[in-house]
Amino acid sequence: MDGLQTKTPAKPGLIYPFDEQVPEQGETTEIIPGLYWVRMRLPFALEWINLWLIDDGERGWTIVDTGMPMPETKEAWRAIFDKYLGGRPVWRVIVTHMHPDHVGNAGWLTRKFPGAELWMSQLEYISCRMLVADTGREAPEAGTDFYVAAGWNEAQVENYRSRFGRFGQGVSQMPDAYRRLVDGETIRLGGRNWKVVMGNGHSPEHACLFCESENVMISGDQLLPRISSNVSVHPTEPKANPLRDWLQSCRKLKTAVGDDVLVLPAHNTPFRGAHKRLDHLIRGHDVGLKRLSQRLAEGPRRVVDTFPAIFGRKIGDESLSLATGEAIAHLNYLIAEGKAVVERDGDGVDWYRAV
């Protein structure tokens, strides 16, 4: 899932070489020989996800990311299979990370093509299975305490309780076995070598795939051209520092690929200018952290009081969960850097102040 827009510097000039070749749902656009761009609709404000279909020769086809398990998405996949596969099966499904728009159809696809393998990083597979296991459970006390501490009112906390455990509704039944993707390993896709480059912060162990010979990278949500990926703290690990992980991953990607790499992102359109975009994302978070520090210097603040310092628009209830997770990520980063402290009052609400 993707994040809220943060107040950032002016966006850099990126190059979008395929903006005139955007495929319709159920169709494909060839990016390099044997690698095809597929788009599927999403039931969110972010309307589309990019998926990738790769010709692996006699063995069959590889799919990278899968879309949500909606009837229209499955219908579009069937149309692609009938039109483009040439009678050869999908033998492998690679998932960059465990968010439902990426992993949602993985189980359905591996069952549709018996023997097809699921390839994911270990933390993404385990995290997905863990969240699916919450389906039907009541919201845990740790979760309600987390949002009370952030400053949510009772109606907002009750909405969390009513919605808890819905992750599994966006994921078809996961395979019981998978093949683990490991940072730095080389895998074969479409007759070419692709290096696995892991990123963190947006999700636990996000896999990007880089082909040096073609200078192409499938980036998932780890690098997007027009929107910033959500970097959040969740109730399961309230003291986490995902923003530190995210910024480190941005710097890692700069060393892994060149600025002129063709980036195939999960959202928006393929682009060049990776280093410019990564620098822009880093600067944007630096600006947010400085504004947040200034807000805390004015006096103690709850999480919900910090939104104006971080986001460029008013936060409504539809965005409250994302905004809360991102704000806590920034606050935990400042605490880890020794620039802020937090104290909980008698009502269970956390108050943050600058050091």
Side-chain angles (χ1 to χ4, degrees), residues 1 95 97-104 124 167 171 202-204 221:
M1 309 290 286
V95 175
H97 63 296
M98 56 84 175
H99 293 155
D101 50 334
H102 297 260
V103 75
E124 298 294 335
F167 181 92
V171 179
H202 175 64
S203 65
D221 283 348

Side-chain angles (χ1 to χ4, degrees), residues 156-171:
Q156 292 164 339
V157 173
E158 183 56 37
N159 185 52
Y160 159 73
R161 291 192 186 100
S162 69
R163 295 176 60 83
F164 181 80
R166 294 189 181 184
F167 181 92
Q169 297 176 11
V171 179

